[in-house]
Amino acid sequence: MTAAIDIKGWCPGARRPMPSGDGLIVRVRPHGGALTVVALRALAEAASRFGNGQIDLTRRANLQIRGVSSETLMPLWELMASLELLDDSAEAEAIRNIVINPLAGLDPAEIIDMRPVAAALELQLAADEELRALPAKFGFALDGGGRLALAALAADVRLAAFFQDQQCRIALGLGHADAVTWLGTVTFPQAAAAAVKVARGALHYSPTKRAAALSPDAITAIATELGLEASVAIAPSPSSGVTSRQRQGVIVLTDETCAVGLGAPFGHVDSDALARLAALLVASDVSEVRLSPWRTLYVAARPDVAEQLVADAAELGLIVDDADPLLRVDACSGSGCCPSTRLATREHARMLAGDIARTRFPGTLHVSGCAKGCARSAAADLVLVGEDDQYCIVRNGTAKSEPSGVLDPADIGLTSHRLFRSRESVHV
Ligand code: SF4
């Protein structure tokens, strides 16, 4: 049986997969940012059975199965439905764009466990059909604070826990550019409904239906409708005093519990490695995996198994150290996955990561198969942009910026270290 595919947008879903050079991309949106290890294993196996075995972790804390065909989409949907990971429609799925802290409910330093708010928000969004007119990228960030806060995550609607007058409070804000306009504070029971009302306000007042395009008058109107005062000064950012810069490896939570952060290089992991990770987690008595917007998986583990888990995950190719230069490298899927390039971008990026370590280059690298720059929209210190069979070199820019030189891929590993030492225009 062949599934009827509704391919309309460029933002993939499960009900609305996105065609790519290697087949359909099917996005899985875990509820509350969590998957059981059983579900993780089933999805890893599904990625090789129904796709090409390639899996992406996204910056919205989702997981994508690549290389799915119109014939294998239906059995993949059936599997996702059995795991309660398939929405009724593409529209209901698209609005369920919620990110919460990956250590919610695990981190003793968090201010508020946002999981109940996320669950309530999911239900209310699903019930409000009007909100399905919001753009696919309209998103919610629910930041309960703690070690892995979400202060840097862009979102249209933000709920952020903070301390004030020795009480836990939740600030409600609208995201635009790199800033947030705080509308006021809401109580824990009010939080989900208030976020929905703000989304409805963006739908009605914003010319783009995104929070960033709301005028000051529109923001005031939304705040007034909520009984809040948009001019109230709120500073909800990391207020527990324990926000950690550590994201990979063992993060001690209590005497009895650690979090283990396992990063996916370039946000990519293959189905075999993910299935083997799931088996390791089962053997370590871990039952749940959390996804994060920085493409690192988190699990809670006893201290006596956490170090071994890290060592085993490193063997699988996962990132377990914040000093790993791969964390500063973005690369798109490249040849074999995308018809827009003949360049093996990820293979080249891995080789260049070695040069980053050797030259102690402190910046960021983006290796892009073409000027579309799918892997990174923000500027990077060094960008290699594929053009035919070579790379154009951009410094301090994006894949669309003016290049200052060229790099022959055949020279990677031979002379490419010069790239990380020179700040001038260069041909290597
Ligand atoms: S940046 Fe270009 S080559 Fe890379 S995935 Fe996007 S379209 Fe394909």
Side-chain angles (χ1 to χ4, degrees), residues 20 66 331-335 337-343 345 366-375 399:
S20 185
R66 303 187 67 102
C332 72
S333 49
S335 63
C337 291
C338 179
S340 298
T341 185
R342 294 193 293 267
L343 294 164
T345 45
H366 177 190
V367 183
S368 185
C370 76
K372 194 171 173 196
C374 296

Side-chain angles (χ1 to χ4, degrees), residues 352 361 381-384 390-395 402-408 411 415-428:
L352 290 161
F361 177 70
D381 294 287
L382 180 62
V383 188
L384 300 182
Q390 63 182 15
Y391 287 107
C392 299
I393 301 168
V394 172
R395 294 194 183 274
E402 193 64 31
S404 60
V406 292
L407 170 68
D408 185 335
D411 290 334
T415 57
S416 54
H417 58 278
R418 289 167 50 196
L419 277 172
F420 301 104
R421 293 208 174 105
S422 171
R423 298 218 155 258
E424 296 153 20
S425 297
V426 66
H427 290 246
V428 292

Side-chain angles (χ1 to χ4, degrees), residues 108-305:
E110 80 182 345
I111 301 166
I112 292 176
D113 177 357
M114 285 288 192
R115 288 176 301 169
V117 179
L121 181 56
E122 271 200 13
L123 286 174
Q124 294 185 33
L125 291 172
D128 193 332
E129 296 203 1
E130 188 188 1
L131 291 179
R132 295 178 186 184
L134 284 167
K137 283 187 176 280
F138 193 96
F140 301 82
L142 276 49
D143 187 359
R147 285 173 174 80
L148 299 180
L150 300 178
L153 180 74
D156 292 85
V157 182
R158 179 174 293 278
L159 292 167
F162 69 111
F163 279 120
Q164 190 179 60
D165 302 330
Q166 298 185 319
Q167 288 189 16
C168 301
R169 298 179 187 276
I170 298 177
L172 174 64
L174 283 160
H176 49 89
D178 294 328
V180 178
T181 298
W182 297 105
L183 302 177
T185 61
V186 294
T187 65
F188 185 77
Q190 293 171 331
V196 169
K197 283 182 186 166
V198 172
R200 219 178 279 136
L203 187 61
H204 290 159
Y205 295 117
S206 168
T208 63
K209 301 183 174 56
R210 298 292 305 269
L214 283 164
S215 67
D217 285 350
I219 292 172
T220 302
I222 292 170
T224 303
E225 285 169 19
L226 280 158
L228 303 171
E229 195 180 331
S231 60
V232 169
I234 299 170
S237 60
S239 42
S240 65
V242 293
T243 296
S244 167
R245 292 184 71 82
Q246 188 193 348
R247 288 178 171 177
Q248 318 296 321
V250 177
I251 303 169
V252 176
L253 299 178
T254 68
D255 288 345
E256 286 92 39
T257 324
C258 297
V260 177
L262 306 170
F266 320 124
H268 169 263
V269 60
D270 68 54
S271 56
D272 182 50
L274 200 61
R276 286 163 65 198
L277 175 65
L280 283 174
L281 296 177
V282 170
S284 303
D285 284 336
V286 174
S287 58
E288 189 179 75
V289 178
R290 304 287 181 82
L291 288 88
S292 72
W294 41 90
R295 307 189 299 194
T296 293
L297 299 173
Y298 290 91
V299 298
R302 296 191 314 271
D304 60 314
V305 299

